[in-house]
Amino acid sequence: MSVTPAPQGSLAAPPAAPAPAGPTGRRALGWRLRFGLLSLIWGFSFLLIKVGTDGYAPFQVTLGRLAFGTLVVAAVLVTKRERLPREARTWAHLAVAALLLNALPFSLFAYAELTIPSTLAGICNATSPLWGMALSLVALSEDRPTRRRVAGLGIGFIGVLTVLGAWQGFNGLDFGGTALALLASLSYPIGWIYVRRTLAGSGHSNLSLTGAQLLLATAELAVVTPLFTSLPTHFPVVPFLAIVALGAIGTGLAFLLQYGLVAEVGPTTAQMVTYFVPVIATAAGVAVLGESLSWSTPVGAVIVLAGAALTQSRPRGGSRKRDQSGARGHARNGTDRS
């Protein structure tokens, strides 16, 4: 990503489109409100995962999330009378994208939150731009390292060590859960790079590709879930409602908001939502779930976000050009990141 970081697992980007007609002030207010709403949705997704796993197995939470998210996108597809891709090759690539950008990271975060607080999961999610920068230097020849971006990578990982309390020997840290959350964050840029190499310029609309991707991710979880879980003997209402919200709002609606933002203001501005997500996730975890918070967590999160911002920085001259061209294909590398 010069790889676009997007927390929650999307795939395709809408083609560049002019902002809706109307007064400039109204347009500006519109996208800012949607930007804030998307930040809130993705920030609260980690809380919803935590609540969902209180009543259901992690794979069941992920399957429900994907199913309800798919229903929302499918409803929009039907309304707009758009068709899913027909080429077998496209479906094969989408199956890999569904695994790397949806099924795998969603499941890893759900398992992680069995043993770590939602605040830590949200902060681990913010490391995706760092992983993306490191991987893109190896996998994408057009992404050349600069001193600023390399410095951002180093600063970001210092922030990770701060969050984890490295100077205390990681006392009280659940290594298994933290590792799963970090692996989930790593899965996103791997998926973005794969999509960038295989599906960029496919000619299909972002809505069509996303609908197919979510459908495939749901099918993947539908196969895996019965193998590792048993049918619940009771169905707790609050965790179930959390899963419904996580899918319909945190996945389906969030994807649609993300694409609208990329089309209107470009990927460079739209991707900034990533830097608000851990802040909201931390505030939600502490205020709603009563999770504890040591000083190193918010301090480390600020360092992580500063490093991530540096890894995404580019020369001023290329910024506008990137936004104009990137709105067509760059957010194909986005995700639903939680």
Side-chain angles (χ1 to χ4, degrees), residues 269-294:
T269 300
Q271 76 181 13
M272 294 301 291
V273 72
T274 301
Y275 306 120
F276 292 87
V277 170
V279 177
I280 295 169
T282 299
V286 172
V288 180
L289 299 179
E291 295 177 344
S292 59
L293 191 68
S294 65

Side-chain angles (χ1 to χ4, degrees), residues 238-299:
V238 173
F240 177 75
L241 292 176
I243 294 171
V244 173
L246 183 64
I249 301 174
T251 302
L253 177 61
F255 284 175
L256 300 175
L257 286 172
Q258 182 194 19
Y259 301 140
L261 284 172
V262 171
E264 187 169 341
V265 300
T268 300
T269 300
Q271 76 181 13
M272 294 301 291
V273 72
T274 301
Y275 306 120
F276 292 87
V277 170
V279 177
I280 295 169
T282 299
V286 172
V288 180
L289 299 179
E291 295 177 344
S292 59
L293 191 68
S294 65
W295 69 267
S296 61
T297 302
V299 170

Side-chain angles (χ1 to χ4, degrees), residues 75-334:
V76 178
L77 274 169
V78 171
T79 301
K80 295 191 173 184
R81 298 182 180 181
E82 290 201 30
R83 294 183 177 180
L84 296 175
R86 296 183 178 182
E87 304 85 1
R89 182 174 178 274
T90 299
W91 280 92
H93 288 313
L94 284 171
V96 178
L99 174 65
L100 294 173
L101 293 174
N102 302 115
L104 179 60
F106 289 4
S107 299
L108 289 174
F109 271 123
Y111 271 101
E113 291 198 42
L114 291 176
T115 55
I116 66 172
S118 64
T119 54
L120 180 55
I123 292 169
C124 287
N125 178 77
T127 64
S128 278
L130 304 177
W131 296 121
M133 190 303 199
L135 290 172
S136 67
L137 294 180
V138 176
L140 301 174
S141 58
E142 65 268 30
D143 283 339
R144 299 299 181 186
T146 63
R147 290 181 181 178
R148 177 179 293 185
R149 299 181 74 196
V150 172
L153 188 62
I155 290 170
F157 283 110
I158 289 173
V160 172
L161 293 176
T162 302
V163 170
L164 302 182
W167 65 92
Q168 297 174 333
F170 305 106
N171 285 336
L173 179 71
D174 184 89
F175 271 104
T178 305
L180 290 177
L182 290 173
L183 283 173
S185 302
L186 173 60
S187 180
Y188 290 123
I190 294 175
W192 295 326
I193 290 173
Y194 178 84
V195 168
R196 184 167 170 175
R197 286 186 173 278
T198 60
L199 287 169
S202 66
H204 297 285
S205 74
N206 66 291
L207 190 59
S208 173
L209 289 173
T210 300
Q213 179 183 311
L214 285 177
L215 181 63
L216 287 168
T218 304
E220 290 167 355
L221 259 294
V223 171
V224 170
T225 300
L227 300 178
F228 295 94
T229 67
S230 56
L231 191 67
T233 55
H234 63 289
F235 298 86
V237 175
V238 173
F240 177 75
L241 292 176
I243 294 171
V244 173
L246 183 64
I249 301 174
T251 302
L253 177 61
F255 284 175
L256 300 175
L257 286 172
Q258 182 194 19
Y259 301 140
L261 284 172
V262 171
E264 187 169 341
V265 300
T268 300
T269 300
Q271 76 181 13
M272 294 301 291
V273 72
T274 301
Y275 306 120
F276 292 87
V277 170
V279 177
I280 295 169
T282 299
V286 172
V288 180
L289 299 179
E291 295 177 344
S292 59
L293 191 68
S294 65
W295 69 267
S296 61
T297 302
V299 170
V302 170
I303 298 173
V304 168
L305 294 176
L310 281 176
T311 65
Q312 297 299 304
S313 64
R314 290 178 177 270
R316 289 178 180 271
S319 213
R320 180 174 178 80
K321 181 180 179 181
R322 180 171 176 249
D323 264 2
Q324 290 173 337
S325 62
R328 284 190 169 84
H330 187 76
R332 258 190 187 94
N333 310 324

